Amino acid sequence: MPVKTYWLEHAWLGTHVEPGVALETGADGRIGALRTGVETPPPGAEVLRGLTVPGLANAHSHAFHRALRSLVQVGSGTFWTWREFMYQVAQNLTPETYFDLARAVYAEMALAGITNVGEFHYVHHARGGAPYADPNAMGEALIEAAAAAGIRITLLDTAYLSSGFGEAPNPHQLRFSDGTADAWAERVSALKPRGHALIGAAIHSVRAVPADQLATVARWAQERQAPLHVHLSEQTAENEACQAAHGRTPTQLLADHGVLGPRTTGVHNTHLTDGDIALLGGTTTGTCMCPTTERDLADGIGPAGRLQHAGSPLSLGSDSHAVIDLLEEARAMELDERLRSRTRGHWTANALLTAATADGHAALGLADAGRLEAGALADFTTIALDSVRTAGPLPRLGAETAVFAATASDVRHTVVGGRHIVRDGAHTLVPDVPSALAESIAALRG
């Protein structure tokens, strides 16, 4: 890829908005140089009008849940009734249909300014649980889908072995299970990273991986210095069942088996004790908040502020894809905390953007992304400052405008590895993203 210069009308540099920034991308897909005080575009530079920020990191995704949008909004119900709809969709996935759906979903993410996705992947096998000829056919489909959509992926291959604290998988869950953690480790070890893809690990939850097998998954991740994610205390029912089975909270159980640590991220972390918060913060275990899903499923509001204060870095995810909008996730984390505490200003706009960029990428194993600086991956996105939502504020308040007013619809450009993936609001690799979504979702209706 040739050296290219972008001129950023305004750029968020982590602490402030800088006008007139020239950014050079190199053949290695990284930022080669960044110059401030460039009042007019240099000759031949590509002009990006608006506010350019580092690419957004979607730290928690289940791509196939996108097929549930609106379907699960009919009537009422609970997380557990929602799960029955999810099982129905999962049963109809094949490597081919999953590629088509994930390609469309990841293209939707690119349109929303997302340059890297953490895919929490647990639909591994054919219906009934028999492995495909390639045991990693489903994971490979997701990796290829990300490439086709032009974004990066950290495939968080997920151990899912039990229907609950040692119980055998139910018929819907047979597709998810490798039988044992050792068998999971053998299968996932065959997956190889590539230019746009990293391989990480996940423990679905303490109810889905027996306690005596948690350490196997943690050891696999430790040996490879890979990210390790886990659904943690999303539901009070999980906490109660864990107490009944093990006499401790899920967080305590994970700590006892060596799961917590700086490369581990707990997803949701909603219903925690004071001791849980101290354990997560003391081990610098991360927290991925998914506010639009957590409120859609009526899960509750997690103690994000207390967790961060205790030492747990925050990242953001769109999870079930009720919407795909990382700006909304950032905004919702602050606004949900305001509702609970009845006070304002828990995080600055800079802090919320950091959760959506640098800290999100770090949670996915990419410490060299999420910043506009020389040597970082050349992944960035530009948000319009002249839409009906964003027009009016001073450009120096661009971070506040992006977080508290803009939506995914205001994303104008997305660049990944120096390559323009979204240009003027249109995807360059997937010409008609809405049609791709509609067709791939229709193919899953049983």
Side-chain angles (χ1 to χ4, degrees), residues 64-76 81-90 92 296 320-322 441 444-446:
F64 78 93
H65 290 191
R66 175 61 177 81
L68 298 171
R69 188 182 294 180
S70 297
L71 175 67
V72 292
Q73 311 305 332
V74 178
S76 59
T81 55
W82 170 90
R83 191 172 69 161
E84 294 304 313
F85 285 102
M86 180 270 288
Y87 286 154
Q88 292 172 26
V89 172
N92 292 327
D296 181 51
S320 68
H321 312 314
I441 293 169
L444 295 177
R445 294 195 181 107

Side-chain angles (χ1 to χ4, degrees), residues 344-397:
R344 303 176 76 232
H346 301 273
W347 292 276
T348 65
N350 288 332
L352 293 168
L353 279 178
T354 298
T357 56
D359 288 351
H361 287 289
L364 297 178
L366 281 175
D368 55 352
R371 296 176 179 84
L372 297 182
E373 61 184 37
L377 291 171
D379 299 354
F380 44 91
T381 188
T382 303
I383 300 162
L385 294 179
D386 59 356
S387 76
V388 294
R389 288 165 293 277
T390 62
L394 295 170
R396 65 180 175 81
L397 298 175

